[in-house]
Amino acid sequence: AQKITQTQPGMFVQEKEAVTLDCTYDTSDQSYGLFWYKQPSSGEMIFLIYQGSYDEQNATEGRYSLNFQKARKSANLVISASQLGDSAMYFCARDTGRRALTFGSGTRLQVQP
Amino acid sequence: DVKVTQSSRYLVKRTGEKVFLECVQDMDHENMFWYRQDPGLGLRLIYFSYDVKMKEKGDIPEGYSVSREKKERFSLILESASTNQTSMYLCASSPNSGIKETQYFGPGTRLLVL
């Protein structure tokens, strides 16, 4: 199975600072997509950002940006100006080519005031 | 907005019971998925369906079955619940409009098997 690795089980960040959540992936495909989801304590999965393997520019969505380094097979999520509401689990995922997603084990982010 | 609903937020069942988890989406999506989420393991795909009456096994189908009789509804069935099926179950749906389409998730069902 093509694996997604998130090496940070937990992270702390001060409010208003930036934080980077790491994600590396296995793949032998040329074309693939990478996703980041946020899961607050309420449990719902919220889509944050998408990066296609052929996209020339790193994806950005508001305070979220994706630091995509294709040769290193990494797709790190950068959250700028952290807010208390950013405290949640964050999951990196990639498509499997069968319309489903493969997820990493997640990173729990806690934003401190 | 896309809405994916799941029949229960919390469920407590006994070992050996047959358990039905229901998922309904209102956006006419072709694809529907069932994942289970366990601490430290992320989400793992149990089954998915890309059309009515069609299903495919995911990474961990053992002990589960699914049913999709209508496009909007995808059911996960635990034929004989066991304690190792205590978990959070998440349903998702997505359209067939290409690789960029994300999946939309329901709120999840926390199942406890005693």
Side-chain angles (χ1 to χ4, degrees):
Chain A
Q2 304 203 16
K3 199 174 171 187
I4 301 286
T5 302
Q6 295 181 252
T7 57
Q8 306 153 313
M11 291 275 288
F12 289 91
V13 65
Q14 291 294 123
E15 200 176 3
K16 299 180 185 174
E17 291 187 353
V19 62
T20 298
L21 307 184
D22 294 341
C23 173
T24 58
Y25 57 92
D26 293 337
T27 188
S28 52
D29 299 328
Q30 294 301 312
S31 177
Y32 51 89
L34 297 156
F35 301 78
W36 276 92
Y37 284 83
K38 172 185 179 181
Q39 187 182 43
S41 56
S42 53
E44 78 272 26
M45 295 284 283
I46 302 166
F47 166 71
L48 295 178
I49 196 166
Y50 168 86
Q51 178 81 46
S53 59
Y54 286 119
D55 293 342
E56 291 185 356
Q57 300 211 340
N58 286 345
T60 61
E61 290 285 350
R63 293 187 298 111
Y64 305 108
S65 61
L66 205 150
N67 183 1
F68 180 49
Q69 297 186 45
K70 193 170 180 177
R72 296 180 62 186
K73 296 184 181 177
S74 76
N76 299 337
L77 177 71
V78 181
I79 305 174
S80 62
S82 297
Q83 302 172 357
L84 295 177
D86 294 334
S87 294
M89 282 290 288
Y90 289 81
F91 291 97
C92 179
R94 63 147 293 177
D95 54 63
T96 65
R98 295 195 304 162
R99 310 179 203 199
L101 297 175
T102 294
F103 287 83
S105 55
T107 296
R108 182 171 296 281
L109 177 67
Q110 295 191 53
V111 180
Q112 296 176 317
Chain B
D1 278 349
V2 176
K3 191 155 180 149
V4 180
T5 57
Q6 294 183 229
S7 49
S8 305
R9 292 299 303 270
Y10 300 94
L11 212 50
V12 180
K13 296 292 180 181
R14 298 216 171 264
T15 303
E17 280 192 75
K18 190 168 186 175
V19 181
F20 292 87
L21 303 183
E22 305 284 340
C23 175
V24 178
Q25 51 96 2
D26 66 359
M27 283 301 290
D28 203 37
H29 285 171
E30 291 82 7
N31 308 308
M32 295 189 75
F33 310 85
W34 276 106
Y35 296 90
R36 67 175 278 176
Q37 181 181 359
D38 300 288
L41 296 178
L43 280 73
R44 293 178 290 165
L45 180 66
I46 304 171
Y47 267 97
F48 69 100
S49 168
Y50 52 88
D51 202 351
V52 175
K53 296 192 187 293
M54 306 300 286
K55 61 185 179 184
E56 284 202 28
K57 292 180 180 179
D59 299 319
I60 51 164
E62 297 79 17
Y64 304 95
S65 61
V66 290
S67 171
R68 194 167 181 199
E69 296 296 318
K70 293 185 178 182
K71 191 175 185 181
E72 67 272 17
R73 188 179 296 268
F74 191 35
S75 302
L76 179 70
I77 304 152
L78 288 65
E79 295 290 342
S80 176
S82 63
T83 54
N84 63 13
Q85 292 178 310
T86 291
S87 187
M88 169 78 136
Y89 290 88
L90 289 158
C91 175
S93 72
S94 70
N96 261 355
S97 44
I99 194 172
K100 267 194 176 180
E101 280 298 333
T102 186
Q103 295 185 7
Y104 298 88
F105 283 82
T109 296
R110 292 191 185 272
L111 173 66
L112 173 62
V113 182
L114 300 173

